[in-house]
Amino acid sequence: LLLAVITSFFGLLISAYGMRMELTDWRSLAVPNVLWLNTAMLIASSVAFQWTRRTVARGNPDGVKAGLLASGLFALAFLAGQLLAWQQLSASGQLPASNAANAFFYLLTGLHGLHLLGGLVVWGKTTAKAWGSALEPSELRMSIELCAVYWHFLLVVWLVLFGLLWSGTSVAGAWRDICSAIGNGL
């Protein structure tokens, strides 16, 4: 249910983005290249969670701890990279109030980051249990499964957002057509 709500939320934001691109005052944002590295960090975090998911099924407590640590560190690196991208844009004068494309960039990346932070809260609780107690890996299985599914979901959301933000005006017509089709009930 949570994933359905988040999907709807980001779907509506993507639709609004596509519709806003139609207006004549739209000026594309120069997306920072650091987003490529950030994307790699989020992919690595998702891969680490998938590895942890498999490790917990094998009952390997040391592997579970290592996997949880790696997935969290990669996720934190992604968030740090997002903050760096914001800093780079801010330093170049590309503030949210400067342009609608800028505002959407900050909004979409910020909301995605907040969802990742929420996931890190659950990750932190799961990691604390794995490191701080004598629990068997099987007792953490459900938490790790749910975290992994959520991480994979956030990766897919990010890849869609990244493609949307990177595409700029070169595919504005395609996005306009998609949004129009959605708005007209296909």
Side-chain angles (χ1 to χ4, degrees):
L1 185 60
L2 175 67
L3 299 184
V5 170
I6 295 170
T7 300
S8 298
F9 178 68
F10 278 105
L12 290 170
L13 288 172
I14 289 168
S15 294
Y17 182 90
M19 288 184 272
R20 183 59 180 88
M21 286 176 77
E22 292 181 29
L23 300 179
T24 57
D25 66 339
W26 184 267
R27 292 184 323 271
S28 292
L29 171 76
V31 178
N33 285 327
V34 71
L35 293 187
W36 288 101
L37 178 61
N38 296 353
T39 302
M41 291 296 106
L42 194 56
I43 290 169
S45 182
S46 192
V47 167
F49 251 121
Q50 185 60 32
W51 183 81
T52 307
R53 193 179 189 183
R54 290 186 179 176
T55 303
V56 77
R58 291 187 213 117
N60 178 352
D62 292 333
V64 168
K65 290 176 184 177
L68 285 169
L69 185 62
S71 59
L73 289 175
F74 284 127
L76 289 170
F78 171 83
L79 289 174
Q82 295 298 79
L83 291 174
L84 176 62
W86 281 17
Q87 188 275 328
Q88 288 174 351
L89 288 173
S90 178
S92 69
Q94 296 185 48
L95 302 171
S98 306
N99 174 5
N102 297 9
F104 266 103
F105 177 86
Y106 285 96
L107 176 69
L108 293 171
T109 58
L111 289 171
H112 181 268
L114 284 175
H115 282 85
L116 194 64
L117 278 173
L120 281 170
V121 169
V122 177
W123 165 85
K125 290 179 180 182
T126 303
T127 302
K129 287 179 187 175
W131 284 83
S133 65
L135 290 177
E136 291 296 317
S138 62
E139 296 175 84
L140 297 171
R141 185 179 193 138
M142 183 57 75
S143 291
I144 290 170
E145 291 276 338
L146 292 173
C147 282
V149 167
Y150 187 69
W151 243 253
H152 299 334
F153 171 77
L154 286 180
L155 173 61
V156 170
V157 169
W158 173 250
L159 292 175
V160 169
L161 293 177
F162 183 55
L164 177 71
L165 294 169
W166 202 267
S167 66
T169 58
S170 63
V171 293
W175 282 109
R176 182 176 46 251
D177 294 343
I178 290 168
C179 293
S180 293
I182 292 169
N184 295 327
L186 299 175

